[in-house]
Amino acid sequence: MINLSDIQKIFFTKDGPVHAVDGINLQINEGEIFGIIGYSGAGKSTLIRMLNMLERPTSGEVVVAGKSLSKLSKPQLRKARQEIGMIFQHFNLLWSRTVHENIAFPLEIAGVPKKKRDERVKELISLVGLEGRGGSYPSQLSGGQKQRVGIARALANNPKVLLCDEATSALDPKTTDSILELLVDINQKLGLTVILITHEMHVIRKICHQVAVMEAGKIVEQGPVLDVFRKPVQEMTKEFVKQITEPEETLESLEHWLQQGIEGEVVKLTFLGKAAERPLITELVRKFQVEVNILQGKISKTRESSYGSLFIHLKGDKEEIDSAVAFIQGEQVECEVIERV
């Protein structure tokens, strides 16, 4: 569906050239929800804006749905952009127009007759859950409702691709979850390819199939979300994964335990899929002469499966502890003895 070949974007400033995107190669399959994550300044927004030529690459090729966008004439590019919808962090609605009129706007530009416009807008209002709000103005809507209008407007011309530029960053957690659920619903119902950029790992975890991690204009790590969660390689990726699996309060609690000079060992267990739902601690207590103290734990749901981490303190004879750790490792549960945070 989308192929990026050696994409570069250089901005020339008074202080010299800035490589906002630096040699990125990327393939995104049809029907995927593909997440791109990175901190501010990583080049995410520049990259996503090159997928519809709002930013033209300095070099390289962008191919969407079989069309090399940089080779198209202006009329051809305008037509190609109708197949690429986009939603934004701050909604970008027309404040003097109603919900109905905002959604109809791209159809007006495309020259769709009024009767067909109205029919299409009615469909979209229902799809995004805004029944009864067609005559409202953006100032009369909540943040989540505004983003739903933005999504409906982006879908007006039946695009094949939906670009989401920090689409949930301005929303509270509950509203964020509702918008993410809507994007999943749209992805499934319409078979839409969704590219989503964010700095929040929660967003990636909840809905994405694949994720790419950006740093300093480059993709430093990429893969299925579950694989990246299980075994992050780059330090940048590990930082993002810890946002979900090891929040700050967990690290502080572990640091406190480790500083006490306690007997035994602190162990981190990592579960995947059905293993996250097993009564492993009960089995440990029954099989081995060890005391088990649960320090912290969390199970997260990804799009594909469950992923969990559990920190426990094992106390007892060293041989029994070693046997318990070996048993855990034999149960397809990753096990790591923690010496310091």
Side-chain angles (χ1 to χ4, degrees), residues 2 28 34 36 48 51 161-164 193-197:
I2 297 174
I28 300 172
F34 193 102
I36 300 172
I48 201 170
L51 296 183
V161 176
L162 180 63
L163 308 179
C164 306
T193 303
V194 180
I195 297 91
L196 184 152
I197 70 166

Side-chain angles (χ1 to χ4, degrees), residues 183-239:
L183 290 175
V184 170
D185 187 49
I186 289 168
N187 167 255
Q188 293 174 339
K189 285 181 178 177
L190 307 181
L192 205 63
T193 303
V194 180
I195 297 91
L196 184 152
I197 70 166
T198 183
H199 61 274
E200 300 171 300
M201 201 63 184
H202 161 74
V203 172
I204 300 293
R205 171 187 66 81
K206 192 170 181 66
I207 71 168
C208 293
H209 300 101
Q210 298 270 338
V211 60
V213 182
M214 280 193 73
E215 183 178 15
K218 296 179 181 291
I219 290 179
V220 296
E221 192 159 352
Q222 179 187 343
V225 170
L226 203 55
D227 290 352
V228 172
F229 260 68
R230 287 179 62 198
K231 294 183 178 180
V233 176
Q234 301 296 324
E235 286 303 315
M236 173 70 67
T237 313
K238 291 176 182 178
E239 287 181 22

Side-chain angles (χ1 to χ4, degrees), residues 135-179:
S136 300
Y137 287 90
S139 60
Q140 299 170 314
L141 304 177
S142 67
Q145 289 171 330
K146 290 172 188 171
Q147 195 56 284
R148 287 173 184 269
V149 177
I151 292 170
R153 182 183 59 186
L155 297 177
N157 283 311
N158 292 299
K160 297 178 180 177
V161 176
L162 180 63
L163 308 179
C164 306
D165 188 358
E166 297 278 10
T168 60
S169 295
L171 306 175
D172 63 78
K174 185 176 180 180
T175 305
T176 291
D177 284 346
S178 71
I179 294 299

Side-chain angles (χ1 to χ4, degrees), residues 56-219:
R56 285 189 170 269
T58 305
S59 62
E61 186 178 30
V62 177
V63 177
V64 178
K67 298 172 184 174
S68 180
L69 299 189
S70 57
K71 296 179 181 178
L72 299 181
S73 66
K74 287 184 178 181
Q76 289 172 328
L77 181 57
R78 281 195 295 270
K79 188 174 181 180
R81 279 176 174 156
Q82 292 181 5
E83 297 184 340
I84 307 171
M86 190 167 188
I87 58 176
F88 306 88
Q89 178 179 359
H90 296 297
F91 320 127
N92 287 17
L93 301 181
L94 299 170
W95 296 91
S96 62
R97 289 187 172 224
T98 64
V99 167
H100 185 287
E101 291 167 343
N102 265 280
I103 298 171
F105 186 61
L107 297 170
E108 290 178 40
I109 295 173
V112 177
K114 187 176 186 306
K115 185 179 179 180
K116 287 191 175 180
R117 288 203 308 264
D118 291 344
E119 290 173 355
R120 178 62 176 155
V121 171
K122 185 178 179 181
E123 290 175 7
L124 291 167
I125 284 177
S126 176
L127 177 66
V128 301
L130 286 176
E131 294 92 338
R133 301 311 300 266
S136 300
Y137 287 90
S139 60
Q140 299 170 314
L141 304 177
S142 67
Q145 289 171 330
K146 290 172 188 171
Q147 195 56 284
R148 287 173 184 269
V149 177
I151 292 170
R153 182 183 59 186
L155 297 177
N157 283 311
N158 292 299
K160 297 178 180 177
V161 176
L162 180 63
L163 308 179
C164 306
D165 188 358
E166 297 278 10
T168 60
S169 295
L171 306 175
D172 63 78
K174 185 176 180 180
T175 305
T176 291
D177 284 346
S178 71
I179 294 299
L180 295 179
E181 288 166 6
L182 175 60
L183 290 175
V184 170
D185 187 49
I186 289 168
N187 167 255
Q188 293 174 339
K189 285 181 178 177
L190 307 181
L192 205 63
T193 303
V194 180
I195 297 91
L196 184 152
I197 70 166
T198 183
H199 61 274
E200 300 171 300
M201 201 63 184
H202 161 74
V203 172
I204 300 293
R205 171 187 66 81
K206 192 170 181 66
I207 71 168
C208 293
H209 300 101
Q210 298 270 338
V211 60
V213 182
M214 280 193 73
E215 183 178 15
K218 296 179 181 291
I219 290 179

Side-chain angles (χ1 to χ4, degrees), residues 246 265-270 310-312 325 328-329 333-340:
E246 299 174 28
E265 292 180 347
V266 174
V267 177
K268 177 185 177 182
L269 311 181
T270 303
L310 183 67
F311 293 87
I312 61 175
V325 170
I328 294 168
Q329 292 170 333
V333 174
E334 293 183 26
C335 181
E336 176 188 0
V337 176
I338 304 296
E339 297 179 357
R340 57 187 171 278

